[in-house]
Amino acid sequence: MAHRAILVDVTRCVGCGACVEGCQQSNQQPAHSARGFDEQTYTYLMDRGSDVYVRRLCMHCEQPSCASVCPVGALVKTAAGPVTYDPAKCMGCRYCMMACPFGVPTYEWYSATPRVRKCQMCEHRGDKGPMCAEVCPAEATVTGEREAMIAEARRRIEADPATYHPTIYGLQEAGGTDVLYIGPREPAALGLPRVPISHPMPDLTWRALKHVPDVVMFGGVFLGGLFWLTKRKEEVARVEGKGKDEGHE
Amino acid sequence: MSEDSTRPFRFGFWTAVSGVLVAALGIIAYFRFTRGIGAVTNLSDGFPWGLWIGFDVLCGVGLAAGGFAITATVHILHLKDFKPIVRPAVLTAYLGYMLVIVGLIFDLGKPWNIWHPIIMWNPHSVMFEVGWCVMLYTTVLSFEFLPVVLERFRFSKLLGVVRSVTPVAVVVGVILSTLHQSSLGSLFLILPHKVHPLWYSPMLPVLFFVSALAAGIGMTVVESFFSRRVFGRALETELLGRLSRASVVVLGVYLVLRLRDLWVREALETLWPLTREGLMFGAEVGLGAILPMVLLASASFRRSPRRLAWAQGLVVLGFIFQRLNVSVTAVEAATGQRYVPSVSEFTVSVSLVALGMWAFVLACRFLPIFPQEAEAEPATAPAGVREPVPVPVADVETVG
């Protein structure tokens, strides 16, 4: 199951903003300063002080909540890695925005035909991969197969344990993501969302949803049985009542 | 007598209020559909579900639960005493689901795609399941309501056919209701990070189902009480009392489930020191469940229809509190976001309730919703002439 992932190395980031610029170009958005996710912004840099810059983007979860909750399959996890969005299918329920544990999807609140907006790992660029990785001058964002990215992350941490915090953010979070972070501090100190759940989030829903066929089958038999039993009782009572009446008369 | 003198004024007043609301609804709809949801709501990327989901959808569906509860009582359990309240309950449910759909047309970003789940499947999505169930159950409700219309226009043959499939429709309706009433709770299962521990629970689907049952019965009692006032008909006090005894049991089950769940998850600790969430929880569980349960358990209390209506009104309010606490209070607390619905959001919700009440009153006026009226209507015909009318019904019953 080789598929694409992105490794963000916070220690190497110089905060030049080339990734943000490249992202806006690649997605045909007007150039603008990016302070947080919004309908025009799929990625932005957080200035964490003392020359630490942390880039945020869609985490492209291995088993994404957004795709699992979407009633019409507008959001899907493609085999190649990206979690993509098809506005033609979307009906605008915004469950994906509720479900995302990383607070990534945004909405075109002031449009009459609104779309959900988020990074799609430059799926439109095909094999060329995400623009942010291509334009990064410091190898702070690199892309490749997930296993290769994990190996690269481990290599960098081992090569310089004094600089790197040993955690790879994205290995465990929400059951694993295809955007991975390494950096000089623990993920929470870098301002990355705390996602304590290390199993795929869709499992939480499936535990309830899997009972649906049982409810239908047992419910049908149970209710049908109740109907039949109480109806029979009623008929018996009617016949007996009739007999009694006749006897009296 | 005094009612007669006040009615014209009250009628005029409420007509005026409703007129203003409907006009406001039109204006808001215009801005909503030309400038986007953001133009009329206080929703944001950090708080994408608001009053329209929390009240119009979650409460609308739940308050319509009387429909499946009462039809099951009469058609599955064969407790025929409750027959007089079947039609009002089915009507309430039907209108409830219609209003939920109207609410969704406002809330969905692209409501013209509302039918997409029919052909674009994702069985892993709770929303997909809810969508299907609501679609199917609204169809079932049409079937359950159809006899009223057929009776009104005297399509006796068709009426017989529809009545013969009623038990099937009722069984299907109960299953569908069980599924989507609980699934509205399942919607929040995937959001452990976004719902305060007083409300997030793996038990949410069960809690949503049981509380909907309580609210459905509550609504049935409250609405019977008010329709008596509006239509001046006799109230089935004894029936409503018996229903309210059922409420005591349902509320008891609900409270055991709710409190046991909080205890097991050690969530009760978050109640102290007292916060806004704690207060909301207290109002929801204390005033909306424990108090009415205790009141309704008393036989002498149940003898007064007015008190019954009040206590059941508390159940309904407690239910609304619960749904809004899950969808707003708990999400605010867990995410640190603040959300106060805009005036437009409130107006839409209130207008939909007003529309529902109007539709209910009109339906009661022109359709045989209440059994007394059904018989009183053809008063011009001699009693003997009406005798043959029930015959096809009797035929059908022997067939079914």
Side-chain angles (χ1 to χ4, degrees):
Chain A
M1 287 293 276
H3 58 261
R4 185 182 291 285
I6 292 176
L7 173 64
V8 178
D9 184 344
V10 176
T11 54
R12 293 212 186 180
C13 180
V14 293
C16 69
C19 49
V20 175
E21 226 169 272
C23 175
Q24 292 171 5
Q25 256 172 38
S26 173
N27 291 293
Q28 291 163 358
Q29 296 157 337
H32 62 282
S33 75
R35 296 261 165 73
F37 291 124
D38 61 48
E39 56 188 278
Q40 296 278 354
T41 309
Y42 300 164
T43 189
Y44 65 97
L45 284 172
M46 295 187 290
D47 186 346
R48 303 295 297 174
S50 50
D51 249 6
V52 173
Y53 302 93
V54 181
R55 185 158 82 87
R56 292 291 317 274
L57 69 158
C58 170
M59 299 294 290
H60 296 279
C61 303
E62 298 262 280
Q63 293 193 46
S65 299
C66 58
S68 121
V69 301
C70 180
V72 293
L75 286 152
V76 287
K77 175 80 178 172
T78 60
V83 177
T84 60
Y85 170 72
D86 180 355
K89 287 186 173 180
C90 178
M91 58 184 200
C93 71
R94 311 187 296 283
Y95 196 6
C96 50
M97 304 175 66
M98 285 299 283
C100 177
F102 300 98
V104 169
T106 59
Y107 206 56
E108 296 177 321
W109 293 104
Y110 291 91
S111 163
T113 54
R115 294 169 298 177
V116 171
R117 307 277 70 193
K118 76 169 200 65
C119 158
Q120 299 180 58
M121 228 191 242
C122 289
E123 199 225 8
H124 57 277
R125 282 165 49 95
D127 287 341
K128 285 196 282 181
M131 181 74 114
C132 53
E134 187 180 297
V135 297
C136 180
E139 287 197 328
T141 293
V142 289
T143 181
E145 278 180 14
R146 187 168 194 260
E147 295 314 312
M149 288 301 103
I150 294 171
E152 172 67 9
R154 293 214 168 105
R155 194 188 61 75
R156 289 189 190 185
I157 292 171
E158 271 161 36
D160 192 358
T163 311
Y164 285 94
H165 188 274
T167 313
I168 303 177
Y169 182 83
L171 270 191
Q172 304 282 322
E173 279 70 18
T177 61
D178 286 344
V179 172
L180 305 158
Y181 284 83
I182 49 176
R185 305 175 201 155
E186 55 162 337
L190 294 175
L192 293 168
R194 234 172 49 82
V195 179
I197 293 172
S198 57
H199 56 79
M201 312 271 293
D203 291 356
L204 292 168
T205 301
W206 194 243
R207 269 177 227 157
L209 263 187
K210 69 179 178 196
H211 295 298
V212 167
D214 282 346
V215 171
V216 173
M217 288 186 294
F218 287 112
V221 173
F222 178 70
L223 294 168
L226 272 183
F227 170 81
W228 184 65
L229 288 173
T230 52
K231 179 141 185 95
R232 170 96 187 115
K233 224 169 120 188
E234 201 185 44
E235 274 164 8
V236 169
R238 198 186 295 149
V239 170
E240 279 177 353
K242 229 182 214 169
K244 233 181 247 170
D245 286 350
E246 278 163 9
H248 279 295
E249 280 165 28
Chain B
M1 275 186 287
S2 58
E3 240 175 51
D4 273 351
S5 59
T6 53
R7 192 176 288 173
F9 163 70
R10 278 178 50 206
F11 211 68
F13 175 71
W14 289 116
T15 312
V17 170
S18 310
V20 171
L21 283 173
V22 169
L25 191 68
I27 295 167
I28 295 166
Y30 173 76
F31 284 107
R32 151 73 188 84
F33 287 106
T34 52
R35 302 197 184 171
I37 301 175
V40 293
T41 68
N42 284 345
L43 296 173
S44 61
D45 291 333
F47 210 96
W49 281 2
L51 187 70
W52 291 347
I53 293 288
F55 181 77
D56 301 14
V57 176
L58 295 186
C59 294
V61 169
L63 292 173
F68 87 84
I70 306 295
T71 49
T73 308
V74 171
H75 291 289
I76 297 180
L77 298 178
H78 290 99
L79 298 174
K80 299 291 183 191
D81 304 354
F82 290 94
K83 219 168 181 173
I85 53 172
V86 167
R87 286 184 172 183
V90 169
L91 175 62
T92 310
Y94 200 29
L95 291 175
Y97 279 83
M98 295 292 179
L99 292 174
V100 167
I101 293 167
V102 177
L104 278 174
I105 288 172
F106 271 85
D107 188 77
L108 288 178
K110 299 200 265 189
W112 49 91
N113 288 347
I114 196 169
W115 57 276
H116 276 184
I118 299 175
I119 55 160
M120 300 168 187
W121 284 34
N122 179 13
H124 284 263
S125 165
V126 183
M127 189 75 85
F128 171 78
E129 191 223 319
V130 172
W132 264 94
C133 283
V134 168
M135 262 187 303
L136 292 176
Y137 186 53
T138 310
T139 313
V140 167
L141 278 170
S142 315
F143 249 92
E144 291 178 355
F145 190 68
L146 197 57
V148 179
V149 182
L150 293 179
E151 202 176 293
R152 169 71 179 77
F153 297 103
R154 313 248 158 98
F155 290 115
S156 313
K157 271 221 181 90
L158 203 53
L159 185 63
V161 177
V162 172
R163 280 212 173 136
S164 66
V165 297
T166 297
V168 180
V170 171
V171 168
V172 173
V174 173
I175 294 172
L176 289 171
S177 297
T178 309
L179 287 177
H180 71 268
Q181 294 286 0
S182 55
S183 290
L184 287 175
S186 309
L187 281 180
F188 294 87
L189 287 178
I190 203 165
L191 321 169
H193 51 290
K194 280 195 177 166
V195 182
H196 187 277
L198 278 174
W199 289 279
Y200 181 84
S201 155
M203 291 287 289
L204 270 172
V206 181
L207 291 171
F208 262 54
F209 175 72
V210 180
S211 56
L213 205 52
I217 300 173
M219 264 304 271
T220 307
V221 173
V222 171
E223 141 224 302
S224 295
F225 178 75
F226 280 105
S227 22
R228 181 195 68 146
R229 289 180 53 139
V230 173
F231 297 103
R233 25 171 234 109
L235 189 73
E236 305 85 358
T237 312
E238 198 261 332
L239 270 192
L240 300 186
R242 278 170 68 190
L243 267 188
S244 298
R245 280 172 64 189
S247 295
V248 175
V249 179
V250 175
L251 286 171
V253 170
Y254 174 73
L255 282 168
V256 170
L257 286 169
R258 183 93 161 90
L259 297 176
R260 176 185 162 278
D261 169 67
L262 288 170
W263 178 263
V264 171
R265 290 186 299 106
E266 296 172 359
L268 285 171
E269 289 163 17
T270 59
L271 276 175
W272 194 262
L274 199 57
T275 53
R276 183 163 155 268
E277 291 77 45
L279 282 173
M280 297 299 266
F281 174 83
E284 171 199 322
V285 175
L287 299 178
I290 297 175
L291 179 64
M293 184 185 71
V294 171
L295 291 177
L296 291 172
S298 143
S300 58
F301 186 89
R302 286 197 309 270
R303 270 197 287 275
S304 152
R306 180 178 294 271
R307 285 185 189 166
L308 273 185
W310 270 105
Q312 293 286 15
L314 280 179
V315 175
V316 169
L317 274 181
F319 168 83
I320 294 172
F321 251 76
Q322 195 267 344
R323 293 302 195 257
L324 287 176
N325 276 343
V326 170
S327 58
V328 177
T329 314
V331 177
E332 277 189 312
T335 59
Q337 299 277 339
R338 277 284 161 266
Y339 164 76
V340 178
S342 70
V343 175
S344 296
E345 286 176 88
F346 277 117
T347 310
V348 168
S349 293
V350 173
S351 304
L352 291 187
V353 173
L355 274 180
M357 286 169 141
W358 267 106
F360 188 87
V361 170
L362 288 177
C364 291
R365 191 145 294 180
F366 295 109
L367 295 169
I369 302 295
F370 298 112
Q372 291 92 329
E373 289 190 337
E375 272 155 42
E377 211 178 14
T380 45
V385 179
R386 286 199 296 117
E387 276 301 308
V389 176
V391 169
V393 181
D395 276 348
V396 168
E397 271 184 355
T398 51
V399 171

